[in-house]
Amino acid sequence: MAKRLREQNVREKIDIIYKLNDEVSALLEEESDEFKKVLDKKAEVRMIQREGKPVEVTTGELLEEVRVTGINGEASGILKQDFPRLFEVAEEREKKNTEMHDYIQKEFGFSFRHMGVADYIKLT
């Protein structure tokens, strides 16, 4: 009886992981769709201020700058103005991913980001 309850409890925990994973996947898909909208406009030229001087850059150049300098750089701030949903969804996905990570860490005692074979076997 106790084993069955334990198995049921583990099954419920795994179902929660599935639910969280589905939510992360849905957000990742939306993020990808939003990113495609940015890519569709990568050739657009815009004027920005750099070191007090107007400079022409393309959306594609700003994307490359974000890739190199990270999400908290100047280029990211410029793109956030035109594509706010992309950044909102990325933040939501990261929060949900962290929620799933923390849940697995708490309930199963390991990080799925560093999951080994023994951890996988523990889940099955």
Side-chain angles (χ1 to χ4, degrees):
M1 179 70 165
K3 182 179 178 184
R4 193 176 319 159
L5 284 174
R6 224 179 6 259
E7 288 174 1
Q8 181 181 2
N9 191 28
V10 169
R11 182 76 243 160
E12 289 169 358
K13 290 177 183 179
I14 290 173
D15 287 344
I16 290 171
I17 294 170
Y18 284 151
K19 179 181 178 290
L20 290 168
N21 189 64
D22 288 347
E23 292 171 6
V24 169
S25 294
L27 288 167
L28 189 57
E29 188 172 328
E30 184 179 353
E31 184 179 355
S32 178
D33 291 343
E34 291 297 323
F35 189 72
K36 286 175 188 172
K37 292 176 187 176
V38 179
L39 289 178
D40 288 343
K41 297 183 179 194
K42 70 181 178 184
E44 281 187 3
V45 177
R46 61 183 73 221
M47 293 296 291
I48 65 169
Q49 292 289 318
R50 289 274 164 95
E51 298 176 6
K53 298 176 184 172
V55 177
E56 279 189 3
V57 295
T58 65
T59 299
E61 290 169 331
L62 290 172
L63 280 174
E64 178 62 15
E65 190 174 321
V66 170
R67 187 187 70 76
V68 172
T69 63
I71 198 152
N72 294 318
E74 179 185 12
S76 192
I78 294 166
L79 290 173
K80 280 180 187 178
Q81 293 173 6
D82 292 334
F83 306 100
R85 186 66 189 145
L86 171 62
F87 291 89
E88 291 166 3
V89 172
E91 188 176 317
E92 289 173 37
R93 179 196 42 80
E94 189 56 39
K95 285 179 183 176
K96 188 59 69 174
N97 205 34
T98 298
E99 179 183 343
M100 182 169 63
H101 174 269
D102 292 348
Y103 180 80
I104 293 171
Q105 183 77 39
K106 177 183 169 215
E107 296 298 332
F108 293 96
F110 61 86
S111 168
F112 71 81
R113 293 179 179 136
H114 304 100
M115 192 169 158
V117 173
D119 299 320
Y120 178 76
I121 292 168
K122 185 178 179 182
L123 275 175
T124 56

